[in-house]
Amino acid sequence: MRHLKLDTDAQGVALLTIDVADRPMNVLMPEVEAELAEAVARVRADAGIRGLIIVSGKANGFIAGADLKEFVEAYERKTTQAQGAERSRQFQRLFRSLETCGKPVAIAMNGLALGGGLELCLAGHYRVLSDNPKAVVGLPECGIGLLPGAGGTQRLPRLIGVENALPMMLSGRHVKPAEALKLGIVHELATPGEEVAVARRWIDSQPDPRQPWDKPGFRVEPASVFIAETRASTLRETHGNYPAPLAILGCVAEGVPLPIDDGLEVEARYFGQLLAGPVARNLIRTTFINRGLADKLARRPKGIDKAPAQKLAVLGAGTMGGGIAFAAAQAGIPVVLLDSSGDLAERAKAAISVRLAQDVAKGRLAQDKADALLARITPTADYALLADCDFAIEAVFEDAAIKAQVIARAEAALPATAVFASNTSALPIGGLARTSLRPGQFVGMHFFSPVERMVLVEIIAGQETRPETLARTFDLAGQLKKTPILVNDGPGFYSTRVVNAYINEGLDLLTEGVAPALIEDAARQAGMPVGPLALADEVGLDLGLKIARQVDTLEAGRSRAVATLDQMVRQGRRVGRKSGTGFYDYPEGGAKRLWPGLAALYPPAAEQPGVEEIKQRLLYAQALEAARCVEDGVVTHMPDGDLGSLLGWGFPSYTGGTLSLIDTLGIANFVEACERLAARHGVHFAPSAWLKEKAGRGENFYPPVV
Ligand code: NAD
């Protein structure tokens, strides 16, 4: 056996060590399962073995789960529901054979046991968990669009009750040792290193080698009211966009009252449905695989030495500048925070100080850490202080002339080798770089608001940006713990362009007489975190108007949206959320409310469209704009487009992102739907010849799995 080792001692206790070859952590995959089946058969058949202890050969934990590669490819390989169910049954048969092998089985868990790893443990008769700070157990499958299909949905509720098991499976949360013991997921905690000895003591006590559910009279407390309430709240939260939580509810409701083998069959059927559908593929690919690659800076130009920023200049101490300075100071980087007056810069630092004081008061931050962080920020209006900064980020007003002035003054003070990044929302980097003395060192670094919470940063390569500059920008993104995507230049680059398409579609609906509450609600039902009108307020209507004017030159028939924003701004509804007036009112201390004045400006039509139609328009407008970004060469790497949409503005993760949404439908179907929309709602929905040709060739955005 390549991954497993079975040793039996003189007293007849077998020790099965799992150490999956060529992997940093133990994962379940067909080869490992086959060896496990062989080992179980030997334990069952060998009369000299009176008990089994299963351990991990890796110091970093027990088993991290199943290998996700298989599951992400299942959809691409057109796995049917029946094949998916059969895959679940393979796991189930293996674990069932373990718990019915006739010998007591103890699992000595030295740490982390997640997903299939925990499901294996649940099939043991006795679980001992190491009481170490890194040890966690959990069933996180729901988060990747699947369910614990190796018996987890059946064993966990039978073991700890439906009311404990269901929330754990729906949230996928990690449970630490003390709670795992309290809930009854494990029987005993052990001092790290003592797990096997504790397991051994249990085996020596000559226990009954049967699971509770295999003993006569076993039953689980029915929890039908709890299940019904959980189903209702799940539907409210997910709007039915995510099949996995509903499938888990189904497994528990239908399977747990049955004998275990019948319950497992219910689970297998639901698992098959999920594996054959696109949501699991979308969630695993984008939120797990692509995200992981981006975090490892896979798109950083190769062959260039790492060069972390030593001292950062942040120019403009407003919303974004303050946030960037804070993030940098948090990462240990000294920051010069410059504004047009010393007062304004001081004020930004004072705001950071207030936030830190709140964190200290709540016990989230130690006073000395807060002091050190604050001491890293030097507020100023004096450009001479930039003399030793090796990286500068500009975040002044969105105005090309002002930016040009700031670039010139900063470059005169910065060292000749410094990188200069602009946080502009939409001004092309090439245009700004023309005002720079060193266009090769000029780059776009687009953060999202609020900077401390939003993990995405969009790096924009101008035509002249050198690979070394990009590499250093990636390094800074890494220092700031942001997830970078890399796109090419153009008005609005990628994210602003697509967000603009979303807001514009919302404004179109409004001017057509669709009730604003219906627009906002449909957007949330589609899975967007905020409606397009609320998002326009977040951006600020005056900034939105500038952006729309900048970006709309790309699109035909878009002047209507510009006109709407213009009209709102002229009504004095300027700065959205910041000023308390936009499409919404923001009463002090109260929840935001749609501005009643909207009804007079945009009277609702007598007949309102259906929710599905609005949802489709709002999502497809974004997806189509993302496709145009690929066509224009702004997005060259599909994961950048998908991840950017998910992390940048919360495009719903069940779709996998803007481009995966199209792939999931198939480009030909998407093109057809857009043509129908174009006929009814305007040429901005017209798919390009390029996209139609791509559809004609039967292509996808992502290459097919071979
Ligand atoms: P803001 O108005 O809050 O801050 C701009 C700051 O720049 C102000 O403090 C202002 O005093 C300062 N400033 C203006 N002219 C200056 C000069 N000549 N020299 C020095 N400082 C000067 O604006 P913001 O929302 O922080 O946006 C800043 C930039 O970031 C803009 O380009 C904007 O498009 C972009 N951006 C904004 C967001 C967002 O959500 N707010 C998101 C991404 C990018």
Side-chain angles (χ1 to χ4, degrees), residues 359-523:
D359 283 353
V360 171
K362 288 192 183 135
R364 287 198 295 243
L365 186 69
Q367 185 66 51
D368 58 335
K369 288 244 168 65
D371 292 344
L373 192 158
L374 212 54
R376 284 186 206 113
I377 302 175
T378 309
T380 188
D382 182 2
Y383 279 85
L385 266 60
L386 306 188
D388 59 348
C389 293
D390 58 345
F391 206 112
I393 301 175
E394 165 282 304
V396 300
F397 296 143
E398 184 77 347
D399 179 308
I402 297 179
K403 288 196 191 288
Q405 251 179 33
V406 170
I407 293 166
R409 291 189 65 185
E411 283 188 340
L414 285 163
T417 52
V419 168
F420 195 104
S422 173
N423 179 47
T424 174
S425 298
L427 297 167
I429 294 304
L432 294 173
R434 266 197 291 283
T435 70
S436 161
L437 296 172
R438 301 183 279 266
Q441 285 156 238
F442 202 95
V443 67
M445 194 172 192
H446 183 211
F447 290 85
F448 291 74
S449 176
V451 178
E452 63 277 15
R453 261 202 289 127
M454 303 298 287
V455 294
L456 187 75
V457 63
E458 181 180 24
I459 298 177
I460 303 118
Q463 280 239 312
E464 298 189 58
T465 309
R466 295 207 325 256
E468 291 76 13
T469 305
L470 289 178
R472 287 172 64 186
T473 311
F474 271 96
D475 292 342
L476 178 60
Q479 285 172 283
L480 300 179
K481 299 203 166 51
K482 301 289 175 201
T483 301
I485 61 167
L486 176 61
V487 303
N488 285 321
D489 198 12
F493 341 110
Y494 170 64
S495 60
T496 304
R497 219 171 124 175
V498 180
V499 167
N500 193 55
Y502 174 52
I503 293 177
N504 282 353
E505 202 53 36
L507 299 181
D508 271 5
L509 286 158
L510 184 68
T511 52
E512 287 167 25
V514 180
L518 178 58
I519 301 171
E520 298 288 90
D521 190 49

Side-chain angles (χ1 to χ4, degrees), residues 155-189:
R155 290 195 181 89
L156 193 66
R158 282 174 172 78
L159 197 64
I160 66 171
V162 169
E163 299 192 7
N164 287 324
L166 203 41
M168 201 176 133
M169 292 192 282
L170 293 178
S171 69
R173 77 187 172 92
H174 290 184
V175 175
K176 291 186 188 290
E179 192 189 352
L181 178 69
K182 192 164 152 238
L183 285 173
I185 301 170
V186 299
H187 298 85
E188 210 172 327
L189 300 186

Side-chain angles (χ1 to χ4, degrees), residues 273-286:
Q273 286 173 15
L274 296 180
L275 196 62
V279 174
R281 188 276 308 261
N282 288 338
L283 285 170
I284 299 173
R285 184 168 70 188
T286 307

Side-chain angles (χ1 to χ4, degrees), residues 26 120 123 125 176 190 207 216 229 275 348 448 454 491 532 551 564 600 662 675:
N26 281 334
L120 166 61
H125 304 111
K176 291 186 188 290
E229 281 170 4
L275 196 62
F448 291 74
M454 303 298 287
V551 175
T564 310
I662 304 178
E675 280 173 333

